[in-house]
Amino acid sequence: MNDTNQYNVAVVGATGAVGLKMLETLEDRDFPIGELKLLSSSRSAGQKLTFKGREYVVEEAVPESFDDVDIALFSAGGSVSKKFAPEAVDRGAVVIDNTSAYRMAEGVPLVVPEVNEADIQKHKGIIANPNCSTIQMVAALEPVRKQLGLSRVIVSTYQAVSGAGNEAADELREQSMDFLNGEDLKAEILPVKGDEKHFPIAFNALPQIDVFQENGYTFEEMKMINETKKIMHAPDLSVAATCVRLPFFTSHAESVYVEVEQSGVSVQDIQNLLKQAPGITLEDDPSTQTYPTPLTAAGKRDVFVGRVRKDLDHEKGFHMWVVSDNLLKGAAWNSVQIAERLVANQWL
Amino acid sequence: MNDTNQYNVAVVGATGAVGLKMLETLEDRDFPIGELKLLSSSRSAGQKLTFKGREYVVEEAVPESFDDVDIALFSAGGSVSKKFAPEAVDRGAVVIDNTSAYRMAEGVPLVVPEVNEADIQKHKGIIANPNCSTIQMVAALEPVRKQLGLSRVIVSTYQAVSGAGNEAADELREQSMDFLNGEDLKAEILPVKGDEKHFPIAFNALPQIDVFQENGYTFEEMKMINETKKIMHAPDLSVAATCVRLPFFTSHAESVYVEVEQSGVSVQDIQNLLKQAPGITLEDDPSTQTYPTPLTAAGKRDVFVGRVRKDLDHEKGFHMWVVSDNLLKGAAWNSVQIAERLVANQWL
């Protein structure tokens, strides 16, 4: 920290889909930045990016890049975080890591500020930003859990391609155009860049996000299951997830079934809790066809909830539809929000 | 029926998305047709369609159209079925109705042949074809229910635009092109043509299929809930549904959670039941990224199931991913299949 309560910030993976949104969000929020460093792999080094009207050259990340850095926002893949986050911490920086590298590690807080802001202060240098689809779900469920208790969650996701990076968005764009022109579709990125097979996403749905685990679940599904329990401090909460990639660019949507612990809860009770909750916008009125969609949520920082219904058979069961911009609340905004709370609470 | 075991068939709504698939399917299956009549509203009358190399002029449906018709396949909207199905029955035809007009009516069998073929013989002139998203789900669940019992179903759907007709498919095509060209999107059909507001479907997801009911569920969701219980003869089965329209043309996909009644069931037990089940193709091998998708199921008659997993917390809970061509098994093929069973069993 320098003299005027400004912080030296590094953004690692600055040229990626999330990195660019981090810069936008830091600028929008007028985050008190002293010096800004934009870092990347050697492949993207040399690119130029503009922040608050000034041009920055993206540099290749090396251990020394983190000298004098106060806060380092990482979003360049798990291997980059594993390599450089400890280097940054050794040099006195606090790392806010958007990859899955440290999320489930003991002693690393996994934080959605609306849910578990206080966990931030327990950090030992690294704070993990949860998986995009997890963040928006726990933000929507926490007000319910806090007031009514929560015993069970079953979620089916509808996830945007930008969650797999700019290349995946480019692939959707190209495939869509080829499809509309009656041409064959080339699939090289989705469902998972590093996996063996690739399938078209344009005008399709792929029930695979990230690689398969031995238990038949994908890693994305296991992230939702395990991270939800950690963030909510609810190891006994039953969570099940099915994650599906869909042909839209921005925002994840989720069909969420929950069982609350209290009896006699009404739809209106849930709606009232959500209305008052920080970071949540309730968009829920069937009489006027009011509900959130990926297109309407894109570019906004809130988590949007609609279609709140009581299960017709299970007295404690409720269904809802949760939508949020996966690059903002699901990634960049949640990371910057952690940085803001870190600074505001002087937990650096 | 004429002398040579041939049947006079009328297709009502012949020019629609489902009507055209009915003609294709009747041709593919070499259904024993004597005379074929193609009927429609006055708006589409006069159009020409080809069947087995012969050209037919589509006629406006009037009561007398059904004179001498043995089997009438209706798919021209609920109001057309309400008006003309009784006229057809009065003239001795058996009606197989693909609209929701008679599905829940007492005395009208609601049939998916793999599930409740025997119900066909109870007809009093009208046999109802279930809702597209219901058909594929019950086809996949019946083998499980029969062997292991079924206490609970929670489904989130991923539904193609063609379920809302050719106009909706045209809308997706035009909006997609406009979006890719950076132009504004015109929304006039989806989510529901007759509803007040319309929203873009291109690169989006709309959590509304059919109009909202007073309980906050959409009519599509209530169809899945009520029709499933009727087809499976399981009034006490707990069924919950969230139905979502997505930007692809053909095939509905479904993320289905079920609870079986028996204990000690394994994923392999479920997979084995599905492998042996009529009309089901199991495509389920995470080690080779094998699972069904809307694009791979399109144009095929079977129901495809993949991603069978055991719930991690509930011993009797299982998740699966069910995909089928909504215009074939979800509509035209199931209707023609009913006609085939009607004829084979001499239940006319």
Side-chain angles (χ1 to χ4, degrees):
Chain A
M1 191 174 91
N2 59 29
D3 295 344
T4 56
N5 278 336
Q6 288 190 322
Y7 301 84
N8 296 338
V9 172
V11 176
V12 186
T15 60
V18 173
L20 293 170
K21 289 288 171 187
M22 281 176 169
L23 293 176
E24 261 182 55
T25 307
L26 288 166
E27 185 163 339
D28 286 353
R29 300 289 297 179
D30 203 16
F31 191 84
I33 295 180
E35 278 186 51
L36 177 67
K37 266 191 192 170
L38 305 189
L39 304 172
S40 74
S41 63
S42 60
R43 193 169 45 85
S44 300
Q47 285 189 36
K48 286 170 189 166
L49 293 173
T50 303
F51 181 81
K52 289 194 173 180
R54 194 184 130 188
E55 194 171 76
Y56 290 78
V57 178
V58 179
E59 297 167 39
E60 181 181 349
V62 294
E64 295 69 32
S65 308
F66 299 96
D67 288 339
D68 298 321
V69 167
D70 299 306
I71 299 171
L73 302 169
F74 274 72
S75 190
S79 58
V80 175
S81 291
K82 277 188 185 149
K83 187 170 172 191
F84 289 112
E87 299 282 357
V89 172
D90 280 350
R91 285 167 173 78
V94 174
V95 168
I96 301 171
D97 182 25
N98 189 47
T99 76
S100 63
Y102 294 98
R103 284 180 192 151
M104 296 308 297
E106 282 284 333
V108 173
L110 183 65
V111 178
V112 177
E114 292 86 348
V115 180
N116 62 336
E117 175 175 341
D119 285 354
I120 297 175
Q121 65 190 302
K122 298 179 205 152
H123 78 81
K124 296 165 187 157
I126 301 178
I127 301 158
N129 194 70
N131 180 50
C132 45
S133 52
T134 311
I135 293 176
Q136 66 183 68
M137 183 171 82
V138 298
L141 295 189
E142 177 63 9
V144 176
R145 190 203 64 76
K146 219 162 130 185
Q147 205 63 34
L148 308 170
L150 204 58
S151 58
R152 179 157 208 194
V153 178
I154 301 175
V155 58
S156 295
T157 71
Y158 302 70
Q159 297 186 229
V161 293
S162 57
N166 285 328
E167 288 174 310
D170 291 342
E171 182 170 82
L172 171 59
R173 205 172 285 110
E174 283 160 28
Q175 286 179 355
S176 299
M177 198 56 103
D178 286 345
F179 187 103
L180 294 170
N181 290 329
E183 286 162 31
D184 287 342
L185 307 189
K186 278 185 288 270
E188 292 166 349
I189 307 291
L190 290 169
V192 182
K193 196 182 173 189
D195 214 339
E196 293 201 6
K197 295 183 189 166
H198 299 101
F199 309 113
I201 185 64
F203 305 105
N204 203 13
L206 299 177
Q208 184 194 352
I209 301 188
D210 218 323
V211 292
F212 281 101
Q213 310 295 289
E214 284 207 350
N215 64 1
Y217 287 77
T218 60
F219 190 41
E220 182 84 356
E221 289 159 356
M222 292 313 300
K223 285 182 229 168
M224 289 197 79
I225 292 168
N226 293 325
E227 294 181 16
T228 296
K229 296 177 193 194
K230 178 169 177 176
I231 299 163
M232 290 185 135
H233 300 182
D236 298 328
L237 178 63
S238 159
V239 185
T242 299
C243 292
V244 182
R245 186 75 72 191
L246 289 163
F248 39 84
F249 292 99
T250 313
S251 304
H252 294 340
E254 299 174 344
S255 168
V256 187
Y257 170 74
V258 298
E259 278 169 22
V260 298
E261 286 176 342
Q262 274 192 32
S263 292
V265 176
S266 71
V267 165
Q268 218 169 12
D269 292 334
I270 307 255
Q271 288 172 324
N272 285 339
L273 289 171
L274 292 169
K275 256 184 225 165
Q276 294 155 22
I280 304 289
T281 299
L282 185 74
E283 292 187 336
D284 190 12
D285 183 0
S287 74
T288 57
Q289 294 175 262
T290 301
Y291 40 71
T293 71
L295 278 185
T296 54
K300 296 172 187 158
R301 285 196 286 264
D302 262 11
V303 173
F304 298 85
V305 184
R307 306 268 359 251
V308 181
R309 286 156 292 151
K310 200 172 173 103
D311 193 89
L312 299 177
D313 298 301
H314 290 257
E315 205 271 318
K316 296 177 177 178
F318 291 86
H319 303 269
M320 60 180 81
W321 173 250
V322 179
V323 187
S324 192
D325 187 318
N326 57 308
L327 299 178
L328 291 179
K329 184 58 183 167
W333 164 229
N334 198 70
S335 288
V336 171
Q337 214 179 356
I338 292 171
E340 288 184 353
R341 304 321 302 156
L342 197 61
V343 162
N345 291 299
Q346 289 299 326
W347 286 335
L348 225 63
Chain B
M1 191 174 89
N2 60 29
D3 296 343
T4 55
N5 278 336
Q6 290 190 321
Y7 301 84
N8 297 338
V9 172
V11 175
V12 186
T15 60
V18 173
L20 294 170
K21 289 287 171 189
M22 282 176 170
L23 293 176
E24 261 182 52
T25 307
L26 288 166
E27 187 164 338
D28 284 353
R29 300 288 297 178
D30 203 15
F31 192 82
I33 295 178
E35 278 186 50
L36 177 66
K37 266 189 191 173
L38 305 188
L39 303 172
S40 73
S41 64
S42 59
R43 194 167 45 84
S44 300
Q47 286 189 36
K48 286 170 189 164
L49 294 173
T50 303
F51 182 80
K52 289 195 173 179
R54 195 185 129 187
E55 194 172 74
Y56 290 78
V57 179
V58 180
E59 296 167 38
E60 180 180 352
V62 294
E64 294 70 32
S65 308
F66 300 96
D67 289 339
D68 298 321
V69 167
D70 299 306
I71 298 171
L73 302 169
F74 275 72
S75 188
S79 58
V80 174
S81 291
K82 277 187 184 147
K83 188 171 172 192
F84 289 112
E87 299 281 359
V89 173
D90 280 351
R91 284 165 173 80
V94 174
V95 168
I96 301 170
D97 181 27
N98 189 47
T99 76
S100 63
Y102 294 98
R103 284 180 193 152
M104 296 308 297
E106 282 282 334
V108 174
L110 182 66
V111 178
V112 177
E114 291 87 348
V115 181
N116 62 336
E117 174 175 342
D119 285 354
I120 296 174
Q121 64 189 306
K122 298 180 205 153
H123 79 80
K124 295 165 186 157
I126 300 178
I127 301 158
N129 193 70
N131 180 50
C132 45
S133 51
T134 311
I135 292 175
Q136 66 183 67
M137 184 171 81
V138 298
L141 296 189
E142 177 63 9
V144 177
R145 189 203 63 76
K146 220 161 127 186
Q147 206 62 35
L148 308 170
L150 204 59
S151 58
R152 180 157 207 195
V153 178
I154 300 175
V155 58
S156 295
T157 70
Y158 302 70
Q159 296 186 230
V161 294
S162 57
N166 285 328
E167 288 174 310
D170 291 341
E171 183 168 81
L172 171 58
R173 205 170 287 112
E174 284 160 28
Q175 286 178 356
S176 299
M177 199 56 102
D178 287 345
F179 187 102
L180 294 170
N181 291 329
E183 286 163 29
D184 287 342
L185 306 190
K186 278 186 289 271
E188 292 167 348
I189 306 291
L190 289 168
V192 183
K193 195 182 173 188
D195 214 338
E196 294 201 4
K197 294 183 189 165
H198 299 101
F199 308 113
I201 184 65
F203 305 104
N204 202 12
L206 299 176
Q208 183 194 352
I209 300 187
D210 218 324
V211 293
F212 280 101
Q213 311 294 289
E214 284 206 350
N215 64 1
Y217 286 77
T218 60
F219 190 40
E220 182 83 356
E221 288 159 356
M222 292 312 300
K223 285 182 231 168
M224 290 198 79
I225 292 167
N226 293 324
E227 293 179 17
T228 296
K229 296 179 193 193
K230 179 170 176 176
I231 298 163
M232 291 187 135
H233 299 183
D236 298 328
L237 178 63
S238 159
V239 185
T242 299
C243 292
V244 182
R245 186 76 72 191
L246 289 162
F248 40 83
F249 292 98
T250 312
S251 305
H252 294 339
E254 299 174 343
S255 167
V256 187
Y257 170 74
V258 297
E259 277 169 22
V260 298
E261 285 174 343
Q262 275 192 31
S263 292
V265 176
S266 70
V267 164
Q268 218 170 12
D269 292 335
I270 306 256
Q271 288 172 325
N272 285 338
L273 289 172
L274 291 168
K275 257 184 225 167
Q276 294 154 21
I280 304 289
T281 298
L282 186 73
E283 291 187 337
D284 189 14
D285 183 2
S287 75
T288 57
Q289 294 175 264
T290 300
Y291 39 71
T293 71
L295 279 185
T296 54
K300 296 173 188 156
R301 285 195 287 264
D302 262 11
V303 173
F304 298 85
V305 184
R307 306 260 12 243
V308 181
R309 287 157 292 153
K310 201 172 173 102
D311 193 271
L312 298 177
D313 299 300
H314 291 257
E315 204 270 318
K316 296 178 177 179
F318 292 86
H319 303 269
M320 59 181 83
W321 173 251
V322 179
V323 187
S324 191
D325 187 318
N326 57 308
L327 299 177
L328 291 179
K329 184 57 183 168
W333 164 229
N334 198 70
S335 288
V336 171
Q337 215 178 356
I338 292 171
E340 288 184 353
R341 305 321 302 156
L342 198 60
V343 161
N345 290 300
Q346 290 299 327
W347 287 336
L348 225 66

